[in-house]
Amino acid sequence: MDFTHLDSIVDDPESITEVVLAAMSKTDDARLKQIIDALVRHAHAFFREVELTDQEFEKGLEFVKAIGQATVDDHNEVVLAADVLGFSTLVTLLNTADRSNRTPGALLGPFYRGHSPEYADGASIVAEGSPGAPLFVRGRVVDTAGTPVEGALVDVWQASPIGLYENQDPDQPDMNLRGRFRTDAQGYFRLRSVRPAGYPVPTHGPVGRLLEKQHRHPYRPAHIHFVVVAQGYETLISQVFADDSEYLGSDVVFGVNRALVGTFSAHDDGKAPAPDVNGPYYTLEYEFVVAEGTPVWPTPPIK
Ligand code: BEZ
Ligand code: FE
């Protein structure tokens, strides 16, 4: 038989990479071609480097299948896997490390929900009766020249004082500790909340089993998530971490950047900016610097 026109016949491990690249060479979309070509080259090199056995390959495929199967409407194991392997933080940093003075990004995480309520300046995102030490946040959005950005939409979400997001906790009402605010003419927005606690990422699925095998703790330091969306600016997806938080130096998802550590100042002076707060309270001030560009809303990983 004449084999000369059967281009995809592979007789040895050395030749397969070129054969696969040739088979994909007609991809019209140039960016898709660049990405998949690189994926194939790097994945093949990785299999060669570790001399992957058939059993290990099967295990790897089982892991990918399991993270898909563990993903449901209110839990995204795929995002979690990308986070604990440092993929999410690397991509975030690659896209924001342009050496300008903009605020660094931090991973979106698996708990972002779209369509949280929009609140008036200074409003509370804490549902009536939810416990916690009062926290008053004053944020400011400016551009890289320091000019205030008016009308930016700031989407905020955080875990409760026991380290649970509302969608993980039957004791919290829908959308508790989530809300959107608009910046004023000076770029400021204010909100009232409660101090968030650090928390373990969900460990009920395959990612939890991987962390166990790696002898890694599953904790994140206490933080508040912010997405800043403004006309004429790149969307900033970030987090501000409590300076006194445990696990600040060992975040399981590698989200902590020194520039994102905020000072959570403790007060007990009877001067809280709310008449019902007479005891201790905290304040946080943080300036977000956004870079010029085109805003894009992130896709919520859960409903
Ligand atoms: C979060 O900050 O919400 C988060 C990020 C990564 C994994 C789990 C949670
Ligand atoms: Fe979080």
Side-chain angles (χ1 to χ4, degrees):
M1 188 173 176
D2 176 11
F3 288 110
T4 47
H5 298 296
L6 300 176
D7 297 339
S8 287
I9 286 184
V10 176
D11 292 321
D12 54 68
E14 285 74 41
S15 59
I16 186 162
T17 307
E18 288 311 317
V19 171
V20 174
L21 292 174
M24 306 188 306
S25 64
K26 293 200 185 83
T27 310
D28 287 325
D29 181 328
R31 181 66 175 156
L32 177 69
K33 181 173 185 313
Q34 182 188 15
I35 291 170
I36 304 296
D37 280 6
L39 175 70
V40 166
R41 279 190 280 103
H42 287 273
H44 286 205
F46 153 64
F47 297 144
R48 289 189 183 100
E49 179 188 318
V50 301
E51 297 179 359
L52 202 72
T53 66
D54 288 332
Q55 292 74 22
E56 288 163 342
F57 185 50
E58 267 176 36
K59 263 196 167 168
L61 295 179
E62 273 304 317
F63 181 75
V64 174
K65 181 177 161 199
I67 57 178
Q69 286 176 331
T71 298
V72 288
D73 277 356
D74 61 357
H75 173 75
N76 196 320
E77 189 85 359
V78 180
V79 171
L80 187 60
D83 294 345
V84 303
L85 294 173
F87 297 172
S88 308
T89 293
L90 173 59
V91 173
T92 297
L93 293 180
L94 287 173
N95 284 287
T96 53
D98 61 358
R99 310 286 166 238
S100 72
N101 58 340
R102 68 158 94 173
T103 301
L107 67 179
L108 183 70
F111 294 122
Y112 173 62
R113 293 178 69 187
H115 309 297
S116 65
E118 189 165 340
Y119 288 112
D121 189 30
S124 175
I125 58 171
V126 189
E128 189 86 24
S130 289
L135 169 68
F136 297 91
V137 178
R138 187 170 76 140
R140 192 176 196 208
V141 181
V142 298
D143 67 15
T144 51
T147 309
V149 177
E150 181 180 4
L153 203 55
V154 183
D155 200 337
V156 181
W157 70 106
Q158 64 165 77
S160 72
I162 58 163
L164 289 173
Y165 287 87
E166 49 80 36
N167 54 299
Q168 299 178 292
D169 182 359
D171 291 338
Q172 291 182 58
D174 191 42
M175 293 290 177
N176 191 35
L177 304 179
R178 297 177 186 268
R180 294 176 181 207
F181 294 82
R182 274 211 190 267
T183 54
D184 67 16
Q186 279 74 48
Y188 286 106
F189 66 95
R190 299 156 198 83
L191 65 99
R192 176 173 172 177
S193 188
V194 285
R195 263 203 79 136
Y199 57 84
V201 300
T203 52
H204 63 274
V207 169
R209 293 197 288 280
L210 179 65
L211 291 175
E212 255 172 44
K213 281 197 185 294
Q214 295 174 327
H215 300 287
R216 293 168 64 188
H217 75 67
Y219 287 91
R220 299 217 63 208
H223 59 275
I224 304 177
H225 294 261
F226 295 88
V227 172
V228 181
V229 184
Q231 237 5 280
Y233 297 93
E234 273 184 32
T235 297
L236 172 65
I237 301 172
S238 202
Q239 305 176 22
V240 176
F241 296 88
D243 51 343
D244 56 355
S245 184
E246 213 182 340
Y247 309 113
L248 204 53
S250 63
D251 182 1
V252 65
V253 296
F254 313 101
V256 181
N257 180 308
R258 283 181 180 80
L260 297 177
V261 178
T263 307
F264 281 54
S265 307
H267 310 266
D268 196 1
D269 53 7
K271 292 186 186 156
D276 60 308
V277 178
N278 305 307
Y281 64 97
Y282 290 87
T283 55
L284 167 69
E285 304 229 342
Y286 195 87
E287 187 169 87
F288 298 90
V289 182
V290 291
E292 278 182 22
T294 308
V296 186
W297 276 103
T299 305
I302 55 170
K303 287 202 171 153

